[in-house]
Amino acid sequence: MGDRWYSEAVVYCLDIDTYADTDGDGVGDLRGLIGRLDYLARLGVTCLWLHPIHPSPNKDDGYDATDFYNVDPRFGTLGDFAELLHQAQNRGIRVIIDLVVNHTSDEHPWFQSARSSPDSPYRDWYVWSDEAPPDRKQGMVFPGEQDETWSYDRTAKAWYYHRFYRFQPDLNMANPAVREEIKKIVSFWLQLGVSGFRIDAVPFIIELTEPGNPDSPKDFEFITELRQHAQWRRADAVLLAEANVEPAQLVHYFGDRGGSANRLHMLFDFMLNGRLVLALARQDPEPIIEALRDTPELPYGGQWATFLRNHDEIDLSRLTAEQRDQVFEQFGPDEGMRLYGRGIRRRLAPMLGGDRRRIELAYALQFSLRGTPVLRYGEEIGMGEDLSLDGRDAIRTPMQWSFQPNAGFSTAAPEALIRPVISGGEYGYETVNVTAQRHDPGSLLSWFERMIRTLREAPEVGSGRCTDLDRVMPPGVLAHRADGPTGTMLFLHNLGTSDAVVDLGDLYAEAELPGDVLADQEYAPVGKLDALAVAGYGYRWIRLHRGQGLPG
């Protein structure tokens, strides 16, 4: 893997509490995760992203921390976490953790001290107003679940700001002491051995909130400070963040106006994600082509992180109302499948009707586009969702390992599980589990292993240049290429149901013994590239040539 390891990584994200339980309390733990590292290594994972690990009242699935310097005792100890880092490193897997410092829990000692007295040393660590701010009914992140962003605290006798839920008071990023504390948190975990952080809600971290100003200024220089600090502590540390903002603003998160890549290393590509889901709904690649062409050019070292499903709802807020309705009609036809009026709270397999061809097509497409692919736990076996659970919990059910009770996740009584295991029906653990698919060479899990191995033999996909081929294509077909020092890959993906034949004979002059390296079925040899067949919901990854001096 190259110097910029993150550009050629395969990232796998999970919640410790729903992955594997070893002590029988119904909650996943660090020892359980350690015991599954060989599974992840075989899958081809090179980077593990852990959702919040800190002690928490768990009113928001761990995103409400009470101690940034420890792990939730339900998961184990700091010693267990250090052992996880050691064992992961032995298998060539890096670990990054969530950095959730936009806010704390209202049970955090800092906030308890801050609300106790105006003279508290922590009073100015949060954002206060003596009067009810006029904009307190604006800017809610969770419409329908949240009706204000300022709440009155009777003990403090003042209003405090919370971009998210009222039990998550925002930290005051205008306070230098808060910034220094965040740097100390970063230093602590880097020293322990993590390879970086996924920074939650980064636009709000740099927001210098002013009561009554719904458009408070943002201080991008704090990202610059954080990047510099992290890399002084660990040179190859990576900062991955989410910023679902307007395209014109994205480049500011990567670097300053001088063009330096001195801020975030990676951003989740929300614009591509929404367009990718729209393309799947329409069976038309045009939204993907538009996203690839409209994406701002990144400074050297900047990288996108691509995803189909993550731990949240599929956010369609960057689509038009008409486009959202088209996606809802196809993938979220029932109101109970939707969330916040903008998203879908489902996993991909049931969204695509359990159609194995479409599932393969969707992930082959995601993993072949520019950027670093991120895979949500359970997607590799086609897990479903539990829509009877509230909100985002529908896609946060325990991992389905085997035919054993509780899907092999835990020996606890079913009522003691952190969330119910999906049982019965097309996606129940009795049908969908790792053990069943491990013994089936034609399973989705086996396909994912093969696909990821193929991707790791084509580093130009992650670290090179991605270009859609501007040709007249049959309906539903997307053709694109990845070019880099390691060579060139050609990709065909057919989002439609009809078989197609594509003429790319003009590329043959630059080819060197071209051939399929991954495909949905056995096709005729690629020949001179002038009659490339691709089935409905089919795909072909074709190696055009390898770079000079590289093994064949």
Side-chain angles (χ1 to χ4, degrees):
M1 192 170 287
D3 293 336
R4 292 185 292 123
W5 64 266
Y6 56 90
S7 68
E8 298 170 17
V10 175
V11 181
Y12 187 92
C13 64
L14 60 86
D15 301 275
I16 294 174
D17 57 9
T18 55
Y19 206 61
D21 170 28
T22 57
D23 59 11
D25 66 352
V27 179
D29 47 51
L30 287 161
R31 291 186 179 276
L33 176 53
I34 291 170
R36 297 296 183 174
L37 288 175
D38 287 326
Y39 166 80
L40 297 176
R42 174 169 173 167
L43 181 59
V45 172
T46 62
C47 180
L48 187 57
W49 159 29
L50 302 180
H51 299 317
I53 64 172
H54 304 307
S56 166
N58 278 296
K59 295 178 182 177
D60 184 24
D61 204 28
Y63 287 87
D64 46 335
T66 55
D67 180 1
F68 292 108
Y69 295 99
N70 215 328
V71 298
D72 192 319
R74 299 178 307 152
F75 303 158
T77 66
L78 269 179
D80 293 327
F81 186 79
E83 182 65 13
L84 169 69
L85 295 178
H86 172 71
Q87 295 296 341
Q89 183 181 28
N90 285 347
R91 292 161 177 81
I93 299 175
R94 295 172 180 264
V95 177
I96 64 175
I97 64 173
D98 264 343
L99 183 68
V100 188
V101 290
N102 158 249
H103 53 246
T104 69
S105 165
D106 59 1
E107 298 180 27
H108 196 293
W110 298 344
F111 188 71
Q112 289 300 308
S113 173
R115 69 196 290 262
S116 68
S117 167
D119 299 324
S120 164
Y122 292 102
R123 184 70 165 204
D124 195 38
W125 282 44
Y126 295 87
V127 184
W128 301 93
S129 175
D130 292 333
E131 305 295 332
D135 61 337
R136 71 186 181 93
K137 297 289 186 180
Q138 300 179 35
M140 280 79 75
V141 175
F142 304 127
E145 296 183 9
Q146 179 190 8
D147 57 10
E148 61 184 2
T149 54
W150 290 85
S151 291
Y152 187 73
D153 185 85
R154 295 181 183 275
T155 302
K157 296 182 175 58
W159 296 79
Y160 66 91
Y161 182 65
H162 53 91
R163 173 64 78 166
F164 293 84
Y165 295 112
R166 64 178 299 146
F167 55 79
Q168 293 169 321
D170 275 33
L171 287 165
N172 179 14
M173 293 302 163
N175 185 342
V178 171
R179 294 189 181 211
E180 288 307 308
E181 188 69 25
I182 292 173
K183 292 175 186 176
K184 284 171 60 179
I185 294 166
V186 165
S187 297
F188 177 85
W189 293 102
L190 289 177
Q191 189 68 34
L192 202 59
V194 303
S195 290
F197 305 89
R198 174 263 185 187
I199 305 177
D200 186 60
V202 71
F204 304 142
I205 287 177
I206 61 174
E207 185 177 54
L208 305 181
T209 305
E210 300 172 345
N213 183 1
D215 191 24
S216 296
K218 290 181 169 55
D219 185 4
F220 285 93
E221 286 310 305
F222 181 53
I223 307 179
T224 308
E225 291 177 30
L226 207 57
R227 162 78 174 260
Q228 185 180 49
H229 179 79
Q231 295 210 271
W232 273 114
R233 294 304 175 102
R234 176 167 177 162
D236 63 350
V238 67
L239 300 181
L240 164 63
E242 58 175 16
N244 193 359
V245 298
E246 294 295 333
Q249 298 179 33
L250 289 169
V251 292
H252 301 310
Y253 288 87
F254 285 103
D256 58 31
R257 295 184 184 279
S260 300
N262 58 354
R263 291 176 182 163
L264 297 173
H265 300 83
M266 305 177 71
L267 274 180
F268 287 101
D269 197 342
F270 282 94
M271 185 170 75
L272 178 61
N273 176 253
R275 299 294 182 85
L276 186 49
V277 175
L278 176 62
L280 290 171
R282 288 179 171 177
Q283 301 185 0
D284 180 357
E286 197 61 32
I288 300 171
I289 296 171
E290 292 174 359
L292 293 176
R293 294 181 180 179
D294 294 346
T295 300
E297 186 172 349
L298 302 185
Y300 178 79
Q303 181 81 346
W304 297 111
T306 68
F307 62 100
L308 276 169
R309 291 303 295 111
N310 62 10
H311 59 296
D312 292 332
E313 75 280 4
I314 296 178
D315 191 336
L316 306 173
S317 59
R318 295 290 160 195
L319 300 181
T320 66
E322 180 181 359
Q323 292 169 337
R324 266 195 307 276
D325 285 345
Q326 290 174 354
V327 175
F328 282 146
E329 181 182 357
Q330 291 295 316
F331 299 144
D334 298 333
E335 190 62 36
M337 298 173 175
R338 307 174 190 177
L339 198 60
Y340 311 133
R342 66 172 185 241
I344 297 176
R345 62 186 198 109
R346 306 186 70 193
R347 282 188 178 263
L348 192 75
M351 276 175 52
L352 298 180
D355 189 329
R356 172 69 180 275
R357 298 175 305 157
R358 293 191 78 185
I359 296 168
E360 282 189 22
L361 167 70
Y363 277 107
L365 180 53
Q366 181 216 330
F367 275 60
S368 68
L369 293 171
R370 84 285 185 276
T372 299
V374 179
L375 180 66
R376 172 79 167 154
Y377 82 92
E379 289 293 301
E380 72 274 19
I381 59 172
M383 276 178 57
E385 71 269 343
D386 184 350
L387 294 173
S388 70
L389 299 177
D390 292 336
R392 297 164 168 180
D393 286 351
I395 57 169
R396 297 174 179 177
T397 57
M399 180 66 176
Q400 296 168 198
W401 291 107
S402 71
F403 299 101
Q404 293 177 296
N406 299 329
F409 161 70
S410 174
T411 58
E415 62 271 16
L417 298 183
I418 182 168
R419 291 187 195 96
V421 172
I422 296 176
S423 179
E426 187 176 354
Y427 301 99
Y429 74 87
E430 301 89 347
T431 303
V432 177
N433 65 67
V434 170
T435 299
Q437 297 195 22
R438 173 65 70 234
H439 292 92
D440 178 5
S443 68
L444 183 62
L445 175 60
S446 296
W447 177 84
F448 260 101
E449 292 174 352
R450 187 166 64 254
M451 185 267 287
I452 292 175
R453 283 198 304 271
T454 305
L455 177 73
R456 292 182 62 184
E457 292 175 349
E460 59 267 34
V461 176
S463 59
R465 185 177 70 256
C466 174
T467 313
D468 70 281
L469 297 178
D470 189 10
R471 309 282 197 284
V472 176
M473 289 285 165
V477 176
L478 172 68
H480 69 283
R481 59 186 290 169
D483 296 274
T486 51
T488 295
M489 290 283 291
L490 171 66
F491 303 99
L492 295 176
H493 293 88
N494 187 353
L495 281 67
T497 57
S498 300
D499 296 351
V501 177
V502 178
D503 181 359
L504 295 175
D506 58 318
L507 300 180
Y508 185 68
E510 61 182 279
E512 181 181 322
L513 296 176
D516 287 309
V517 293
L518 184 75
D520 64 294
Q521 63 184 54
E522 193 73 31
Y523 288 103
V526 301
K528 294 187 177 182
L529 308 174
D530 55 354
L532 295 170
V534 58
Y537 295 151
Y539 55 89
R540 297 180 73 170
W541 291 14
I542 299 170
R543 165 64 68 187
L544 277 189
H545 66 82
R546 287 199 171 273
Q548 291 291 328
L550 293 171

